[in-house]
Structure formats: structure tokens, C-alpha cells
Amino acid sequence: MHVQIAIVGAGFGGLGTAIRLKQRGIEHFIVLERAAALGGTWRDNAYPGCACDVPSHLYSYSFALNPGWSRTFSPQQEIWDYLEACADRFGIRPHLRFNAEVHGASWDEATRRWHLDSSLGPITADVLVSAAGALSEPATPKLAGLETFQGTTFHSARWDHEHDLAGRNVAVIGTGASAIQFVPEIQPDVARLTLFQRTAPWVMPRRARAMGDRERRAYRRIPGLQRFLRLGIYWSRELVALAFLKPRYMRYAQSLARKHLERSVPDPDLRAKLMPDYTLGCKRVLLSNTYYPALQQDNVDVVTEPIREIRPHGVVTADGVEHPADTIIFGTGFRVTDTPIAERIRGRDSRTLAEVWQGSPKAYRGTTVTGFPNLFMLLGPNTGLGHTSVVFMIECQIAYILDALRAMRRRGVTAVEPKPAAQEGFVSALDRRMSTTVWATGCKSWYLDATGRNSTLWPGFTWRYRQRMRRFDLSAYDLI
Ligand SMILES: Cc1cc2nc3c(=O)[nH]c(=O)nc-3n(C[C@H](O)[C@H](O)[C@H](O)COP(=O)(O)OP(=O)(O)OC[C@H]3O[C@@H](n4cnc5c(N)ncnc54)[C@H](O)[C@@H]3O)c2cc1C
């Protein structure tokens, strides 16, 4: 099978690209999705309490606002339904291929095409769009003795809904964005919840509320109202970005978070355990009003000793104490900087992205990579965010891809590849900007790669990224 464009992944990125291509009249593309449904993050993270932490008016496509959100921060099922509805509304179904995993993709210099090895068989494509997701591969720590555990284990992104937690002795490992959402939900049901915390996260109050019928009707009836609110949220988030870029402005936010902790947790011992020891923002800032109250319930223990090993019926910490457990839930995040798709894409000289990157992903404008002609990555290196919706970044990248296709057609070019100097210049300017941000204040976070470089986040305002991505800059590319 040959297609003009092969898109890998049917989450916000892959689906958004498909919609925009179709709106431009480009029909000769397919979306290859390894799972049996679309939705990506919002299909996989079905844990109790899962919701977005960027307001829904902003955490959605700019071209498909949803007046029907039930809450200011929508729950997982609603976001998944929204993506399904977008696939119908924009006629994307005929392009979707499910149970279609891409095992490998190699650029063939002779045919100037991508050759894909997929579960649907071989496919060739002129252009490859990787929308495989930055947070789609669960990371589970290699704990000594884990294979001897006699109970049930699962990752929050692969929640085992068959396993009833009522009356269980549950060990939760990790205190990141997912754990703080599901811990308060499961705490009332379980017999005992032992929370293993390596680093205390900063937690801010969550200003969430339901959106009633009247409000939803208003969004439907008053043209522009929801877009106006979205714009307000967007610019207020951009203002917040200032504190990430100039850490001295973080003091105010940090004092709010400290007050939230002090108000919520009267017990000085527990409060000391939960007090972070790094500048707010260096790791992802979490939002919750229910996390601290849950940790103070009688059936909860917060353990800060490092884990030494897992035994058949419990978790042993460095101090030799065995904490009994019949269920272990990993809230340990994702493989972000060593994403498996990088091991599957081979460029001009037959090396994979992972081999070229050597543990530190780099790309031109976070989207194209020297040595990999006609490859476009959504949410590629340094396009993640700590302060606002990544759907905004995805849409900037999609606009860039569409403009690239237009420019190639106009110039009669078969393939484009960023010049080495353009990519190096972009990356070194980005690294310089990163060096003065809050992410460079010394904490160890999942934003950092194997070399210690932050290859995950965009160190700037998103409107600046958008400015750069409006036009495809042909002069930065070798035309093949
Ligand atoms: C719990 C959670 C909450 C989040 N909340 C927010 C938020 O509030 N705001 C925000 O901005 N961001 C949030 N994020 C980040 C979120 O991942 C992005 O916002 C967005 O959903 C990413 O979309 P995507 O299409 O790039 O990737 P995904 O949604 O991860 O989709 C990638 C798709 O690619 C498929 N795939 C991967 N490899 C292959 C392969 N080899 N072959 C075929 N298919 C493949 C996967 O199955 C998946 O369906 C959250 C993430 C998580 C995990």
C-alpha cells in the first residue's frame, strides 16, 4: 500500500493532523493506531479521578471548541468522547486504521519514500508524521524482587478495572500528576494505602467547578463567548509562564503552595514529609484540593524511605521495614526522553533516531530532524509545556506541516530535511534560554534526559513558538 502521508498515532496529535489535512482537501493519508480505538492519553489513562489540569476551554482544538464540557477541568471519559466526536464530525473514520502498530519506518533514498513495517503489512509513504505521544509509554521502575510479588500490580495508565480495590492493602509508588488524582479516589475504599514518596511535589489549590446547563446553553447561543474565555485563559497562562522563565517570580506562587500545604496539613510531622525541597515549577506543578486531606486519613501512611526491594507480600524500605501489600499501583510516569518510537524510525544513513540522539533528543523547531527527510514529529523534543495546553503546540506544528506540504508542492520538491547548521543553531539558542529557567534550578525531574539536558520543555512563551511555526522556512532546509 502507498499513501502520501502516514500518521502514527491517533491521539490529539494524529487526529488533529488528519482533520487539518482533510480540511485542506488532502485525502491520501492514513492514521495508524496500535490500539483498538482512538484517543491516546485519554483512552489509556482511565484511572479513577483522571482529568486534565489545564482548563478545558483551552485544552481542546481551537477549531472545535466544545460548549458541552461538564466541568472546568474535564474528566478523562469526556475528553475521550470529545476526540471520538471530532473524528465523526470531521469525517476522519475512513482514514483510521486500528490495531495497526508501526514496528519500524526507514527512509529509502532510492525511492525517496518512507517504508513502514506495520501490523497491516508493508506500507510506503512520501511523508511520515510521528504523533506517537510523549506520554504514551508507561515507565515502571526496576525494583529488586518485583517478579516475586504474589499480589496484583499495574500502572496507572493501564488501570486494572477487574481488580476490586475494596478492602485491599494497596501500595502506591509515585507522587506525580496521576497519583495525586487517583489516591484521593481510592483511599475511601481500600483497607490500607501506603504511599511511597521519593520527592514531595508542590501542590496548588485546584479551582475547579461544574458548568451547569445555563452556562453551556450560553456557550451554544452567544457566538464568541467561549472563544473569548479561552483567549483569557490562554493569556493568563502565558503570564504564568513568566515565573517559569524567570524563577525569581516563582516566590509568590511558591508561598501560595506553601500556605495550601500549611492550611491543609496541621500535623507537623506529615507536613514536613510533604514539604518540597526545590523551587516550585522545577518539576510539574500539581493541582489538587483532595490530595492532602486523603493523606491524613487513618488508613493512609506516607513513606519517604527509599524502596529497597519487593517481597511476595510487601514492599521493603531501606530501613528494613516491610510494608504489607496485596496490590501495587505504579504512578511512576512515562518514558519521555527515551520514547520507543525513536528506536523504530531509521533515517538516511540507516541509524535510528535513538542512535542519532544518544540519549538527548534534538530537533529543528521540535519537529524535523537532520538525516530524516520528510519526517515530522508532533510534540517532538522541547515542545512539552509546564504551564499551558500542549494542544496549542500540536496545532502550531500541524500548521507548519501543512505549510511545508504547500511549499514542497509549489517548488516541486520531493523531500525536505533541516540543514545541520539550522538544527544546531536552533538547539543551542534553546539550550541557552533554558539555562536561566526554573527547570535549570537543580532538581532532578522527568524533563531531563540521560545526559541531564532538558530536552522535553519549550523554554519560552507559546505565542513565540506559534510565530515561528506559522510559515515553513524553506531556507533552513536541504531540498531533495
Ligand atoms: C494523565 C494525563 C493527563 C494529562 N493532562 C494534560 C493536560 O491537562 N494538559 C496538557 O496540555 N497535557 C496533558 N497531558 C499530556 C497529554 O499527553 C497531551 O496533552 C496529549 O494528549 C498528547 O497527545 P498525542 O496525540 O501527542 O499523544 P497520545 O495521546 O499519547 O497519543 C499517541 C498515540 O500513538 C499511539 N502509538 C504510539 N506508538 C505507536 C506505534 N508504534 N504504532 C501505532 N500507534 C502508536 C498510541 O497508542 C497513542 O494512541 C496529560 C497526560 C496524561 C498522561
Side-chain angles (χ1 to χ4, degrees):
M1 184 199 329
H2 177 74
V3 290
Q4 184 190 353
I5 302 161
I7 302 168
V8 185
F12 258 110
L15 185 63
T17 309
I19 294 171
R20 286 313 214 184
L21 287 173
K22 199 150 177 118
Q23 288 177 332
R24 284 281 163 86
I26 299 171
E27 291 280 347
H28 201 204
F29 67 88
I30 52 171
V31 184
L32 297 147
E33 170 54 58
R34 66 182 171 190
L38 59 79
T41 294
W42 303 101
R43 173 198 65 229
D44 290 341
N45 290 268
Y47 59 77
C50 181
C52 56
D53 55 13
V54 167
S56 290
H57 287 323
L58 185 59
Y59 190 64
S60 46
Y61 295 123
S62 63
F63 52 82
L65 300 195
N66 175 18
W69 296 123
S70 70
R71 300 193 58 78
T72 45
F73 295 90
S74 304
Q76 166 261 337
Q77 182 69 51
E78 237 176 80
I79 304 174
W80 189 12
D81 292 346
Y82 163 79
L83 291 171
E84 290 277 0
C86 284
D88 290 329
R89 175 174 160 197
F90 295 101
I92 300 306
R93 297 271 172 211
H95 299 272
L96 296 171
R97 303 287 181 277
F98 293 122
N99 304 308
E101 177 156 4
V102 174
H103 302 295
S106 317
W107 174 256
D108 180 56
E109 200 70 335
T111 56
R112 293 187 188 165
R113 282 178 173 174
W114 283 98
H115 287 241
L116 276 64
D117 165 24
S118 81
S119 24
L120 299 182
I123 298 169
T124 55
D126 299 331
V127 170
L128 179 63
V129 177
S130 172
L135 307 181
S136 71
E137 296 292 333
T140 307
K142 289 182 180 52
L143 296 171
L146 183 57
E147 67 292 347
T148 67
F149 187 63
Q150 295 286 299
T152 302
T153 66
F154 55 89
H155 189 280
S156 58
R158 302 287 182 272
W159 196 268
D160 183 349
H161 292 278
E162 301 298 306
H163 183 66
D164 187 2
L165 290 175
R168 300 275 183 184
N169 235 335
V170 179
V172 172
I173 300 180
T175 53
S178 297
I180 73 145
Q181 290 188 335
F182 71 74
V183 161
E185 297 293 318
I186 65 171
Q187 172 274 321
D189 294 336
V190 304
R192 185 110 237 114
L193 194 155
T194 313
L195 178 65
F196 293 90
Q197 172 188 279
R198 194 170 57 178
T199 338
W202 281 110
V203 181
M204 297 283 271
R206 190 165 190 262
R207 300 184 207 292
R209 61 174 180 82
M211 295 201 256
D213 285 347
R214 274 175 62 185
E215 185 173 352
R216 291 202 293 252
R217 261 200 310 277
Y219 295 142
R220 285 200 178 88
R221 283 185 189 158
I222 306 171
L225 176 60
Q226 198 177 14
R227 194 159 293 281
F228 177 73
L229 290 174
R230 177 182 165 101
L231 208 64
I233 297 168
Y234 173 77
W235 285 109
S236 64
R237 304 307 306 165
E238 286 298 271
L239 207 60
V240 167
L242 199 62
F244 287 85
L245 304 177
K246 305 221 176 298
R248 63 177 183 279
Y249 295 128
M250 253 321 162
R251 264 184 252 136
Y252 173 67
Q254 194 165 306
S255 75
L256 281 182
R258 181 174 289 119
K259 277 194 193 110
H260 182 47
L261 172 61
E262 285 165 359
R263 256 197 320 265
S264 310
V265 184
D267 171 13
D269 292 339
L270 181 60
R271 202 190 312 142
K273 281 185 186 177
L274 298 176
M275 183 66 78
D277 60 358
Y278 57 90
T279 309
L280 182 137
C282 186
K283 290 168 185 269
R284 194 168 176 89
V285 183
L286 310 183
L287 307 178
S288 179
N289 300 333
T290 52
Y291 180 62
Y292 289 145
L295 300 190
Q296 294 168 78
Q297 302 309 308
D298 289 341
N299 64 342
V300 178
D301 276 324
V302 177
V303 176
T304 52
E305 277 291 316
I307 295 173
R308 192 171 75 194
E309 61 174 318
I310 307 292
R311 291 203 186 139
H313 301 287
V315 178
V316 180
T317 39
D319 53 5
V321 176
E322 178 165 346
H323 305 267
D326 54 35
T327 305
I328 299 177
I329 306 177
F330 291 102
T332 40
F334 299 88
R335 288 177 58 186
V336 181
T337 54
D338 63 339
T339 161
I341 196 72
E343 290 157 18
R344 299 183 180 196
I345 299 180
R346 281 183 192 280
R348 224 167 3 90
D349 65 0
S350 301
R351 284 189 302 161
T352 62
L353 277 170
E355 284 163 349
V356 170
W357 282 341
Q358 295 285 315
S360 193
K362 289 174 186 152
Y364 180 61
R365 301 192 171 183
T367 311
T368 53
V369 184
T370 304
F372 295 77
N374 285 5
L375 168 69
F376 296 90
M377 305 188 73
L378 295 186
L379 295 186
N382 291 102
T383 54
L385 298 172
H387 71 286
T388 189
S389 167
V390 297
V391 179
F392 183 89
M393 300 300 268
I394 287 173
E395 286 198 45
C396 296
Q397 295 182 300
I398 296 173
Y400 190 73
I401 297 171
L402 292 182
D403 205 47
L405 295 175
R406 197 186 307 124
M408 285 163 71
R409 202 175 46 243
R410 215 182 292 136
R411 293 283 296 263
V413 172
T414 316
V416 290
E417 179 192 321
K419 291 177 181 161
Q423 182 172 310
E424 280 155 25
F426 175 82
V427 172
S428 52
L430 186 139
D431 285 346
R432 264 197 312 279
R433 281 206 311 277
M434 187 70 79
S435 66
T436 55
T437 66
V438 71
W439 302 296
T441 51
C443 75
K444 194 166 171 283
S445 73
W446 57 262
Y447 300 142
L448 306 184
D449 61 34
T451 69
R453 208 181 134 252
N454 187 329
S455 49
T456 307
L457 296 178
W458 172 247
F461 297 105
T462 61
W463 58 267
R464 284 205 189 226
Y465 187 67
R466 185 185 176 137
Q467 267 182 340
R468 286 176 170 223
M469 299 299 276
R470 268 218 170 104
R471 286 262 159 265
F472 182 69
D473 43 342
L474 213 56
S475 60
Y477 284 80
D478 284 326
L479 313 182
I480 303 166

